[in-house]
Amino acid sequence: TRHGTEGEWADFLRKDLVDVMAADAVVVLPGWECSRGARLEVDVAHALGIQVLPLDAAVQVFRAAWAERPQVAMPVGAA
């Protein structure tokens, strides 16, 4: 994992909440409500005005943004 595998739950949460505070949005997986850490992430995101999206909604947002990206033409002969 990005934060390593050694340490206590609180150690991971401290590092994780730094990421949440820097995020533009938080994407939650199905069943997130059963995770104490995920619930805390969502609470922090809401308190900071950070958007929280379920995975399926985040995928739709990503697909729409991808479809709207500028198309870049490849130079002739480049491939």
Side-chain angles (χ1 to χ4, degrees):
T1 67
R2 194 168 84 80
H3 294 307
T5 57
E6 297 296 322
E8 299 293 323
W9 183 85
D11 298 326
F12 290 108
L13 183 63
R14 282 184 190 91
K15 294 173 184 176
D16 183 55
L17 291 178
V18 170
D19 293 338
V20 170
M21 290 185 295
D24 295 324
V26 171
V27 176
V28 293
L29 300 173
W32 68 269
E33 303 91 345
C34 298
S35 166
R36 181 171 61 144
R39 289 193 312 269
L40 286 168
E41 292 169 353
V42 168
D43 287 345
V44 169
H46 284 150
L48 297 175
I50 297 170
Q51 186 175 21
V52 177
L53 297 167
L55 179 60
D56 57 346
V59 168
Q60 290 175 3
V61 168
F62 177 78
R63 285 183 176 154
W66 183 260
E68 294 175 10
R69 76 190 188 291
Q71 300 296 314
V72 178
M74 293 292 289
V76 175

